[in-house]
Amino acid sequence: MEALDVARWQFGVTTVYHFIFVPLTIGLSLLVAIMQTTALVSKDPLKKDAWTRLTKFFGSMLIINFGIGIATGIVQEFQFGMNWSEYSRFVGDVFGAPLAFEGLVAFFLESVFLGLWIFGWNRMSPRVHAVTIWLVAIGTMSSAYFIIAANSFMQHPVGAVYNPETGRAELHSIIEVLTNVTTLAAFPHVIAGAWLVAGAFVTGVAAWHMVNHHNKAATAGLESAEGEAHADLSRRVFRPAVRFGVLAMFVSALVLVVTGDIQGKLMFEQQPMKMASAEALCSTETGASFSILTVGGPNAFDANCEDVTHLIEIPYVTSILATNDPNATLMGVTDLEKQYTERFGDTVTAVDGSTQTADYRPNLFVTYWSFRLMIGLAAFSGILAFWALWVTRGGRTTGSSAFKWFAVLSIPMPFLANSAGWIFTEMGRQPWVVAPNPTGDPTIRLMTMQGVSHNPQWMVVTSLFTFTVLYGVLMVVWFHLMRKQALAGIALPAPRAKDEEPEIPAISFGY
């Protein structure tokens, strides 16, 4: 492998690893804010007690996830200067602006107010303290917005002009960059994906404890004080958390479907090669079908359409997804390759000065299957949501081990679906690191092989190995802390007089 390949692997590995934590932080900060607000406005002491306990329980896991996310996210920005310096030189004037906003506005907002929220329990008025966690949630979502604005410039460059004297893209309008139509479509989709991750996480963890306390109550006997306490936690605390997580999943699913449709239509306009590859649409078709199952030989990895075979298809669906017209004609990978070659040339000069044959096709195998994994893995959340509603209907709780273990199994699925979505978005853009705008300045474009640094291969391999090992250690630490905190659950309430306020434990850092 060349230094370019290793640099791409490094950025891919560190980005996918970092993005494991991002959606949970974004989604869970909002859900915790809603939990605390529910406790704040509740007039029922028992309901207030339950939601306060849930706030601190899931808030402790939010703190762990936030800390690991920061540690892994810092590496991303360093790579722009170290492994992708030619890319940074070309678009740094534009790309750096939203990243600066993200650091100066979003990061400080979320980190400062998370600190106030952690240490402000019983030191601030309840209303002011609740405001701090809402500001954390706003900070995490604004952070996502600025990052998506930067990424959307790579997908659909706007707000910049090319300076032929310096050979760089220069910022023309920050407003255009921040209001890029690609950003406006991608942002709600990413946020909804984060809600799905957090909703499945809350539902899965709460379902585990609801089932366990239900069974412990049955074992101890409801007539005993211990059995009554377990039944109370199962019914009054964890059952509402399960249904709250389900509500979050339903809202996210609705937003994901709507915004996903909008994004898909935009991609067919802005990056037709990406969407043709996502469907393994090799030849131009009228009334294009949607492929359920496509197989390919070894040459399919090289975007060789002759090695691709469609086995199961649904007629007209791809044309509907692209234009809402079942009879629309969509260009295939082969014809798009010819069109790109005519527009941008059949050769490209790499960063080392060598001239190479241009290939404008992404990896068909990765693009095709990452698109389907994004959708397929999210289906676990749908099954979990309907199952959870059924077993908790009418005030019920359940002791079903099958439901408990399926709920746990479903927790990582939206994480993987989110990662598959980003793999599709980034791999489908290849070989461009800045894809050309079909209706914009054709000179603002850059291929991946033109954006890499002049680093020797051994140097990039060393850093890739180092980051992989370091991130592996961090993953073990993160999993241990999250598992420990999730399994700890919520302690049984101590015996108290009827008119005595329940004692709520302090929030824990998880270590």
Side-chain angles (χ1 to χ4, degrees), residues 226 366 431:
E226 181 184 356
V366 174

Side-chain angles (χ1 to χ4, degrees), residues 98-122:
L99 291 185
F101 275 112
E102 192 271 338
L104 295 173
V105 178
F107 176 71
F108 282 105
L109 183 66
E110 58 189 344
S111 58
V112 168
F113 284 98
L114 182 63
L116 290 173
W117 184 75
I118 294 170
F119 298 106
W121 285 95
N122 302 322

Side-chain angles (χ1 to χ4, degrees), residues 37-54:
T37 304
T38 303
L40 178 66
V41 302
S42 177
K43 304 298 183 183
D44 182 351
L46 292 179
K47 187 176 180 181
K48 183 184 289 290
D49 167 69
W51 285 104
T52 303
R53 289 175 181 272
L54 288 170

Side-chain angles (χ1 to χ4, degrees), residues 414-497:
F415 284 88
L416 297 175
N418 270 267
S419 295
W422 274 109
I423 290 172
F424 162 70
T425 299
E426 299 306 295
M427 288 293 291
R429 191 184 65 240
Q430 298 301 318
W432 304 102
V433 65
V434 179
N437 185 336
T439 59
D441 186 349
T443 57
I444 300 182
R445 69 181 193 271
L446 192 71
M447 299 188 78
T448 305
M449 66 177 68
Q450 298 172 315
V452 72
S453 300
H454 297 266
N455 293 329
Q457 182 190 37
W458 68 266
M459 183 181 295
V460 190
V461 169
T462 302
S463 61
L464 172 60
F465 176 79
T466 303
F467 280 130
T468 302
V469 172
L470 178 61
Y471 277 21
V473 172
L474 286 176
M475 176 61 80
V476 172
V477 172
W478 172 80
F479 181 78
H480 169 73
L481 292 175
M482 292 291 280
R483 180 177 180 274
K484 175 184 176 182
Q485 199 65 27
L487 289 177
I490 296 175
L492 292 175
R496 67 182 191 280

Side-chain angles (χ1 to χ4, degrees), residues 55-64 117 485 507-510:
T55 299
K56 293 190 174 184
F57 175 53
F58 286 104
S60 63
M61 287 179 275
L62 171 63
I63 296 168
I64 297 169
W117 184 75
Q485 199 65 27
I507 193 167
S508 168
F509 287 100

